[in-house]
């Protein structure tokens, strides 16, 4: 294997993501320092608390390096709070809440409302033959996407879902991917596999160190 996948390990469900990656046979590391970030070929930003994660990213001097690597095309997968961190725009955020950005989407934070703030359901997802069992925990949804963004999944357009019916909950843009739900919960590794494919493809397109030296 010629790639390593990092899990941003400032806060949130880091261990669960590392466990799924390890189960897939991936080389996976926790990322807390700029040097660790520099060494990875793909990054997962886990669920947790987006305002806390941004604060910690600044304290750990990862905020600018994260923005720079994402801008330079690092394959990155944000789940739940991680989706908020990757979004270019937030609605319903804390006052002045910042993001890392990269994904041309508007997310609505804590979108599903108090009554249904945590729920589960089966969703068809582009790229998977069978629906994925999606677990939502105080999740955001995607209010709007830019032209370059592919919608991978929506909440079923069932009137029983109220305001959530038809909402976008998984997206991809180039080598960036995000889900409102928690694919690391429940033992189904297929969404992680889609991300690993993105990392593999991006890695294959990059010259190896050997080729770079030869040039
Ligand atoms: N509500 C959280 C936030 O705004 C996200 C919840 C989660 O990641 N499970 O950051």
């Amino acid at each position: 294997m010629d790639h390593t996948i990092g899990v941003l390990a400032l806060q949130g469900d880091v261990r669960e993501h590392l466990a799924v990656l390890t189960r897939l046979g991936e080389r996976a590391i926790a990322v807390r320092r700029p040097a660790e970030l520099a060494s990875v070929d793909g990054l997962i930003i886990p669920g947790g608390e987006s305002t806390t994660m941004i604060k910690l990213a600044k304290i750990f001097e990862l905020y600018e390096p994260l923005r720079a690597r994402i801008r330079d095309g690092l394959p990155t997968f944000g789940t739940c709070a991680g989706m908020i961190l990757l979004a270019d725009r937030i609605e319903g955020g804390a006052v002045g809440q910042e993001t890392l950005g990269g994904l041309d989407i508007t997310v609505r934070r804590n979108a599903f409302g108090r009554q249904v703030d945590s729920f589960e359901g089966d969703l068809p997802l582009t790229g998977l033959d069978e629906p994925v069992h999606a677990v939502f925990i105080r999740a955001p949804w995607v209010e709007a996407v830019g032209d370059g963004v592919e919608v991978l999944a929506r909440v079923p357009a069932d009137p029983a879902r109220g305001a959530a019916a038809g909402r976008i909950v998984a997206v991809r843009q180039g080598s960036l991917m995000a889900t409102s739900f928690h694919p690391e919960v429940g033992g189904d590794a297929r969404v992680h596999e889609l991300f690993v494919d993105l990392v593999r493809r991006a890695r294959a397109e990059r010259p190896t160190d050997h080729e770079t030296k030869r040039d």
Side-chain angles (χ1 to χ4, degrees):
M1 190 194 311
D2 64 349
H3 61 256
T4 301
I5 299 182
V7 178
L8 187 64
L10 298 173
Q11 189 259 341
D13 44 3
V14 177
R15 264 187 309 171
E16 292 82 349
H17 280 289
L18 287 171
V20 179
L21 291 169
T22 305
R23 197 149 53 81
L24 288 174
E26 294 297 312
R27 191 163 55 216
I29 65 162
V31 168
R32 280 190 202 88
R33 297 190 175 82
E36 289 159 348
L37 177 62
S39 76
V40 298
D41 304 288
L43 181 72
I44 294 180
I45 305 180
E49 176 52 52
S50 53
T51 53
T52 307
M53 254 190 271
I54 279 285
K55 265 187 222 145
L56 291 173
K58 290 188 171 175
I59 292 169
F60 282 69
E61 295 181 351
L62 279 168
Y63 180 77
E64 286 303 336
L66 279 165
R67 286 172 62 92
R69 284 224 63 191
I70 292 166
R71 199 171 46 232
D72 292 346
L74 178 70
T76 306
F77 177 21
T79 63
C80 203
M83 172 189 258
I84 299 173
L85 260 62
L86 282 181
D88 283 344
R89 296 167 297 276
I90 315 183
E91 283 179 13
V95 177
Q97 183 170 350
E98 290 174 281
T99 68
L100 299 168
L103 265 180
D104 184 12
I105 62 173
T106 304
V107 290
R108 176 168 292 282
R109 187 171 176 234
N110 298 334
F112 290 89
R114 285 236 160 261
Q115 292 80 1
V116 286
D117 67 5
S118 298
F119 66 99
E120 307 183 11
D122 292 332
L123 299 179
L125 193 136
T126 303
L128 298 182
D129 295 338
E130 298 293 329
V132 66
H133 187 69
V135 176
F136 295 86
I137 305 165
R138 293 184 59 69
W141 68 44
V142 179
E143 286 275 336
V145 299
D147 288 341
V149 178
E150 185 188 359
V151 173
L152 301 180
R154 292 176 183 268
V155 174
D158 171 357
R161 300 283 184 171
R167 293 294 181 175
I168 299 167
V169 290
V171 293
R172 189 170 80 87
Q173 179 187 354
S175 52
L176 301 181
M177 216 176 115
T179 61
S180 301
F181 54 88
H182 288 262
E184 74 285 7
V185 176
D188 181 349
R190 290 174 303 151
V191 181
H192 286 77
E193 275 176 321
L194 292 178
F195 179 60
V196 171
D197 281 345
L198 282 183
V199 175
R200 227 178 257 134
R201 259 181 282 151
R203 187 72 187 88
E205 282 164 15
R206 241 178 34 221
T208 62
D209 292 346
H210 173 69
E211 281 163 344
T212 313
K213 273 178 208 133
R214 200 178 51 204
D215 289 343

